Amino acid sequence: MQLDQMYQEIILDHYKNPHGRGLREPFDAESHQINPVCGDEVSLRVNLDGAHGTDPSATVVDVSYDGQGCSISQAATSVLTDLVIGRTVQEAFDVHAAFVELMQGRGQVEPDEDVLGDGIAFAGVAKYPARVKCALLGWMAFKDAVSRSTGKEETR
Amino acid sequence: MTSTATPLDIVTIKADFPILARTVRDGKRLVYLDSGATAQRPTQVLDAERAFLETSNAAVHRGAHQLAEEATDAYESARARVARFVGARPEEVVFTKNATEGLNLVAYAMSNAATSGPEAERFRVGPGDEIVVTEMEHHANLVPWQQLCQRTGATLRWFGVTDEGRLDLADLDELVTERTRVVAFTHQSNVLGTVNPVAALVERARQVGALTVVDACQSVPHLPVDLDQLGVDFAVFSGHKMLGPSGVGVLYGRSELLEALPPFVTGGSMIEMVRMESSTFAPPPQRFEAGVPMTSQAVGLGAAVDYLSVVGMERIAAHEHLLTEAALSALSEIPGVTVVGPTTMVDRGGAVSFTVDGVHPHDAGQVLDSVGVAVRVGHHCAWPLHRRMAVPATVRATFYLYNDLDDVTALVEGVREAQRFFGTA
Ligand SMILES: Cc1ncc(COP(=O)(O)O)c(C=O)c1O
């Protein structure tokens, strides 16, 4: 049945036991994203090392989040924290690009486990256009939060 | 409800809707429970559109050739039949793109009243004036009024909703006052199923000289509605929710009001005389139908009301009553399922929204979809209402004349399946 294809065990595990959940201090920037179709929302904070958010080699020290949403949006955000914490901004953006490509590929994109880790479990979700936004909600918040912290640096 | 109405012959009715014979998601029978969003169309409607296009298609109200004449007749005949269906006169029926456009038409015409002649005086709103809506409105009957207030400096106020999902009329007299210019409310909630007390609201609005605008999107398709008898000033509904085509809807306005209402969209077909400096406008309904209108869609809507009339709105309402009652009773027996809206059939139509503990509506909807049951999930364009009911989103099943008790059973089994899948039951 297609249900198991979409709701891989990995996704259900992350949904039931989310990683990195809860908003934490300190943080450089926060992003709030809403899915206007269903009202799901996420608030996500990033903490980059030092005060050089403009620097692609800055390290993502922490990503913390809170919100409410379906299993797909919650699990995808949990997976995100696993994949980007401890990486450089550049590396995190590369993973981000790969995840977005997977999600927008309507099931035609072969995911690379070395890059996406547990994120490959979302390949089945990509076949359901209505759910792609759910999967990307936290990821969009991450990108937005990082660019906000960057913007803050520039105006300083 | 009318228990005397003879039951519908669902087998025959279903046969009129070709789409209901298809399967979805690897061979599952399609159980379509999303008619509140858009209804399916019977062959009779599809045939009417096709026949019109194959024999009489032309721009209406333009040209003097035979096709133009036939097209205009078909269009005007559709208007007359739609008018009769809702207890209106043809000149009180304006074809719009959908209900949303109808509501915007009224709201923008009211802003235009500021710069129109004295006949439009009664539509003017400004600082100190109030527009009253309700917390259970579809965004289509909320945002245009927010915008009108923003443009004119008027103040928006609203009726609250009780925990049961009824309109809270306790402060009717404090909310609707001499300052009120418009009372805009839904006849039947697209989320809760609640049927609102039109008579009480109309009576109070009349006492204070306010206009009533009724969103009849979820009532006209499902209940016998006589707009003249209801005494409302304006009403809107959409063709695609009542077995008709998309791209056509109706704005009803009482004759004397439409006569005085300034236009919203201007251009061809809505004028009386045009000079380089300025123009005068045609009488209603033409004044509100600028440009070449949708034609086959209007013809299709005419066929849709013919279809509904033959089946009988009383019987359709009784049938939906039965299905809704069955759904409410079966859902309430499932631990963890909470119905958002009235759980009794008093003043209630066939929209059943609910939450399932531990299963997000999106996920419940996905499981239902996997077994062939099409429902809507989310806030159903009524975000403030969901906030009021303290739920981020709901699963919504809506019934129509082509649904039967097997569909209710499929819904209930699907919900149980969702609970099993997510390990909450
Ligand atoms: C109560 C109600 N009002 C307004 C609308 C808007 O209808 P439309 O999108 O056809 O303009 C809908 C349908 O979604 C509705 O259910």
Side-chain angles (χ1 to χ4, degrees):
Chain A
M1 174 160 66
Q2 297 125 327
L3 262 194
D4 302 317
Q5 240 185 59
M6 166 179 282
Y7 295 109
Q8 307 264 324
E9 272 311 315
I10 297 178
I11 295 181
L12 293 175
D13 285 348
H14 275 274
Y15 175 49
K16 287 171 186 160
N17 304 296
H19 304 175
R21 201 180 160 86
L23 291 171
R24 286 182 292 278
E25 310 267 354
F27 64 99
D28 293 313
E30 178 170 328
S31 171
H32 186 70
Q33 297 288 319
I34 295 177
N35 182 347
V37 181
C38 56
D40 285 357
E41 42 194 314
V42 64
S43 292
L44 182 145
R45 293 172 173 179
V46 291
N47 180 21
L48 308 176
D49 75 339
H52 32 271
T54 44
D55 181 357
S57 66
T59 302
V60 179
V61 177
D62 192 24
V63 174
S64 65
Y65 65 96
D66 205 356
Q68 52 87 18
C70 62
S71 59
I72 302 298
S73 73
Q74 298 301 296
T77 311
S78 170
V79 168
L80 164 89
T81 64
D82 284 355
L83 290 173
V84 301
I85 292 175
R87 311 286 281 276
T88 65
V89 166
Q90 185 57 58
E91 286 166 348
F93 277 5
D94 289 346
V95 175
H96 187 280
F99 190 70
V100 171
E101 188 198 0
L102 172 65
M103 294 320 299
Q104 293 178 343
R106 296 210 69 149
Q108 303 302 308
V109 175
E110 195 56 52
D112 181 348
E113 186 164 8
D114 291 342
V115 178
L116 285 175
D118 281 359
I120 62 166
F122 291 82
V125 179
K127 292 185 191 135
Y128 294 81
R131 302 306 294 275
V132 168
K133 267 201 176 132
C134 309
L136 290 177
L137 193 68
W139 289 71
M140 292 307 167
F142 172 70
K143 184 129 196 216
D144 183 49
V146 173
S147 14
R148 276 166 194 269
S149 73
T150 307
K152 212 167 62 183
E153 290 306 312
E154 280 165 349
T155 56
R156 227 180 242 171
Chain B
M1 191 58 53
T2 47
S3 49
T4 49
T6 43
L8 299 187
D9 175 1
I10 299 299
V11 176
T12 308
I13 287 177
K14 271 195 186 205
D16 287 335
F17 294 80
I19 202 169
L20 298 178
R22 72 162 282 181
T23 58
V24 291
R25 302 292 184 211
D26 292 339
K28 310 289 184 331
R29 176 174 84 88
L30 169 64
V31 177
Y32 189 73
L33 298 180
D34 199 18
S35 299
T38 204
Q40 298 302 345
R41 300 173 207 169
T43 318
Q44 287 83 341
V45 167
L46 304 174
D47 287 350
E49 278 200 78
R50 187 177 187 97
F52 168 79
L53 291 169
E54 286 181 348
T55 61
S56 310
N57 186 43
V60 302
H61 291 302
R62 294 178 186 196
H65 53 78
Q66 185 175 340
L67 292 189
E69 211 174 276
E70 288 180 14
T72 304
D73 283 350
Y75 182 74
E76 290 305 328
S77 151
R79 189 197 308 279
R81 278 136 66 213
V82 171
R84 195 177 325 125
F85 183 70
V86 292
R89 281 174 284 150
E91 63 274 21
E92 295 176 318
V93 165
V94 175
F95 283 127
T96 60
K97 181 176 77 173
N98 51 26
T100 304
E101 189 184 71
L103 291 162
N104 277 277
L105 193 165
V106 177
Y108 274 95
M110 290 186 74
S111 338
N112 292 342
T115 50
S116 304
E119 77 287 351
E121 172 78 45
R122 63 195 303 179
F123 299 112
R124 288 182 196 154
V125 292
D129 292 333
E130 294 177 353
I131 290 169
V132 177
V133 296
T134 87
E135 213 174 3
M136 68 167 76
E137 295 314 305
H138 186 284
H139 299 163
N141 199 25
L142 169 60
V143 183
W145 303 116
Q146 290 174 339
Q147 293 293 108
L148 175 63
C149 287
Q150 214 168 76
R151 288 195 299 275
T152 60
T155 303
L156 189 75
R157 303 186 67 187
W158 54 89
F159 287 102
V161 172
T162 67
D163 292 340
E164 198 210 353
R166 305 265 180 201
L167 217 51
D168 184 357
L169 294 183
D171 44 6
L172 174 63
D173 292 352
E174 288 86 77
L175 260 177
V176 181
T177 67
E178 285 66 35
R179 291 187 298 278
T180 310
R181 308 306 312 274
V182 177
V183 184
F185 59 96
T186 189
H187 192 177
Q188 174 172 323
S189 163
N190 65 317
V191 177
L192 308 163
T194 310
V195 176
N196 286 321
V198 180
L201 289 157
V202 166
E203 190 192 336
R204 179 59 188 163
R206 280 195 179 154
Q207 278 170 9
V208 300
L211 295 165
T212 44
V213 179
V214 170
D215 178 350
C217 270
Q218 298 292 344
S219 58
V220 163
H222 302 284
L223 318 165
V225 173
D226 186 316
L227 294 171
D228 181 55
Q229 231 171 53
L230 286 177
V232 301
D233 293 322
F234 294 101
V236 298
F237 50 94
S238 284
H240 68 93
K241 293 183 197 285
M242 50 192 292
L243 314 185
S246 53
V248 64
V250 167
L251 164 68
Y252 159 88
R254 283 199 299 114
S255 286
E256 49 142 349
L257 292 172
L258 286 184
E259 289 288 346
L261 191 71
F264 164 37
V265 178
T266 55
S269 295
M270 55 75 68
I271 50 87
E272 181 185 56
M273 197 190 31
V274 177
R275 295 184 193 283
M276 282 316 293
E277 298 76 18
S278 63
S279 308
T280 56
F281 308 127
Q286 269 71 39
R287 186 190 306 159
F288 305 103
E289 295 180 354
V292 174
M294 61 302 277
T295 320
S296 60
Q297 293 91 328
V299 169
L301 182 55
V305 301
D306 290 348
Y307 187 94
L308 290 168
S309 302
V310 168
V311 178
M313 290 309 293
E314 292 280 356
R315 293 171 75 210
I316 292 172
H319 177 71
E320 288 181 32
H321 186 93
L322 189 120
L323 299 182
T324 308
E325 201 163 30
L328 285 173
S329 119
L331 286 172
S332 68
E333 274 167 26
I334 308 179
V337 171
T338 310
V339 170
V340 178
T343 47
T344 67
M345 289 307 298
V346 180
D347 293 331
R348 195 196 199 293
V352 178
S353 296
F354 57 94
T355 57
V356 185
D357 284 354
V359 185
H360 188 280
H362 256 189
D363 294 321
Q366 199 77 52
V367 176
L368 285 163
D369 172 62
S370 77
V371 295
V373 180
V375 292
R376 181 146 174 205
V377 298
H379 50 56
H380 325 306
C381 300
W383 209 336
L385 173 64
H386 277 75
R387 229 173 262 127
R388 159 63 187 97
M389 302 312 280
V391 287
T394 52
V395 180
R396 181 187 75 177
T398 44
F399 303 105
Y400 213 173
L401 74 169
Y402 39 64
N403 293 119
D404 57 20
L405 286 169
D406 289 345
D407 297 346
V408 175
T409 305
L411 169 72
V412 172
E413 278 172 6
V415 170
R416 288 189 186 278
E417 174 63 27
Q419 289 183 316
R420 273 193 295 276
F421 188 83
F422 284 94
T424 64

